[in-house]
Amino acid sequence: MTEIAIIGDRFMLPDAFATALRKAIGQEASLRTMELPWPDEPMVHGYAGSGLDGLKEYQGDPEAIVEFIGGAPVLVTHLAPITGVMLDRLPGLKLIAVSRGGPVNIDVAAARERGVKLVNTPGRNASAVAEFTIAAILAETRLIRAGHEALRQGEWRGDLYRADLTGTELSELTVGLIGYGEIGTRVVPLLKPFGCRILVCDPYKELSARDAADGVVMTDLDSLLAESDVVSLHARVTEETRGFLAAPQFARMKQGAYFINTARGPMVNYDDLYQALSSRHLRGAMLETFWQEPTPPDAPLLRLDNVTLTPHIAGASTTTVRIAARMVAEEVRRWLAGEPPLNPC
C-alpha cells in the first residue's frame, strides 16, 4: 500500500487533504499527517536572499520534515520546504504535490534532477483574490477606509460627502490590471458590471475573445499607468518583475490615482510608493502584501492615513482550502493510476 505523507498547517488543514484524498483514491494508500503552525506563526520569506537554499515562503524544520516523510513515495504539502540536500536523504520520494500556485517552497531544479515529479495547484485561490481585489478597489475609491478610521477615533467625517472629497463611482473610472493570469482574468468579469473602462497589461497573454468583445483593452505598461484611475497588480515575481514598480512608474500614474497590490511585495519599491503616497501624488493605496512579512511595526508606510492595509489574507477562504485539496488529490490519483499530471512543474 502506497504511503502518503501529508504536511498541512492551520489553513490547509491536514484533514482537508486527507478527506479529499480518501474521496479520490479510497483506501488505496495509507495516510499520515503533520501540522505546521502557520499562520499563527509566520513563514519564512526568502525574497531578500536569506531563505533556505534560495527557497521562498516556507515553514518547517528541515530535519523534522525529513524524519516525518521517511520512506513515503508521496508528499502532499502546502508550506514545507524541500531542498536538494533534503531530497538526497529521501531516496524513496517520487511525487511532491504542493497546494500552491507557485511551488516556491520547493527546489524545483533539484527535484527534476533527481527524478521527483512535482505538481502544484495554479488558480486554487484565484477566485478569492479576485473578490478581495474588488473589495479593495471599493474601499479606496468610495472612502470606506477613511470613514472607518475616523469613526474608530470618534470623529464623524461628514465632510466626506463634499464634492471635492467624495469618491467617484467605478462606472466613470478606468481600471488597469497588470497581469492577466489566473487572477487577472477573474477580476475582469467582476469589474464589468460596474461599467468601468478596463485596461490590461500582460506581454505574455492575449485577451480572451469575450473580453475583447466586451471592450477590454490590452495595452503596454506605460499607457496603462498613464490612463488608469486605479492600478491593480496581478503579476508574478520573476527577475523581470522584481522591483519593476518604482518611482518612474508611480510618477507616470495620474495625479490622484489609486494603487492596489494583492499580488506580491517584491515587485514594488515600497520606499518609492511611500513617497508617492505621502506627497499625495497618489490619493490612496490598498496593500495586501509587503517587502517583508510580517511588516516591521515601525515602518513609515503603515502610518500613512491614505493607505488600507491587510496582512496577506486575500487568498484566505475555506473555498480555497477545498479547491486546493481536491486538486492535489486528483494529481495523486493520476500518479497512482499512471496517468499524466494536470499541473506539472
Side-chain angles (χ1 to χ4, degrees), residues 55-92:
L55 302 185
K56 325 291 185 191
E57 299 183 16
Y58 62 87
Q59 187 184 82
D61 173 64
E63 187 65 34
I65 289 168
V66 167
E67 182 177 347
F68 174 76
I69 297 170
V74 178
L75 168 65
V76 168
T77 189
H78 181 219
L79 292 178
I82 297 292
T83 67
V85 172
M86 294 169 69
L87 287 171
D88 288 338
R89 298 176 58 192
L90 298 167

Side-chain angles (χ1 to χ4, degrees), residues 311-329:
H312 203 153
I313 57 172
S317 75
T318 54
T319 305
T320 293
V321 174
R322 288 190 290 272
I323 291 171
R326 286 198 300 266
M327 293 176 73
V328 162

Side-chain angles (χ1 to χ4, degrees), residues 166-178:
T166 195
T168 302
E169 294 177 25
L170 276 175
S171 61
E172 294 189 278
L173 298 180
T174 296
V175 179
L177 307 180
I178 303 174

Side-chain angles (χ1 to χ4, degrees), residues 68-143:
F68 174 76
I69 297 170
V74 178
L75 168 65
V76 168
T77 189
H78 181 219
L79 292 178
I82 297 292
T83 67
V85 172
M86 294 169 69
L87 287 171
D88 288 338
R89 298 176 58 192
L90 298 167
L93 190 59
K94 304 302 179 185
L95 173 70
I96 303 173
V98 184
S99 61
R100 308 188 66 176
V104 294
N105 51 316
I106 311 295
D107 188 330
V108 178
R112 184 181 301 116
E113 290 168 2
R114 291 159 178 79
V116 179
K117 293 185 181 298
L118 176 62
V119 294
N120 67 330
T121 57
R124 92 280 188 212
N125 66 359
S127 179
V129 178
E131 287 185 359
F132 194 95
T133 298
I134 301 302
I137 292 172
L138 292 172
E140 286 302 305
T141 60
R142 300 307 306 278
L143 308 186

Side-chain angles (χ1 to χ4, degrees), residues 23-57:
K23 288 182 179 179
I25 63 175
Q27 301 299 317
E28 286 187 44
S30 64
L31 312 180
R32 49 192 174 83
T33 63
M34 174 183 185
E35 183 177 280
L36 299 174
W38 186 83
D40 295 335
E41 296 180 17
M43 68 177 81
V44 176
H45 281 252
Y47 290 106
S50 58
L52 177 69
D53 289 353
L55 302 185
K56 325 291 185 191
E57 299 183 16

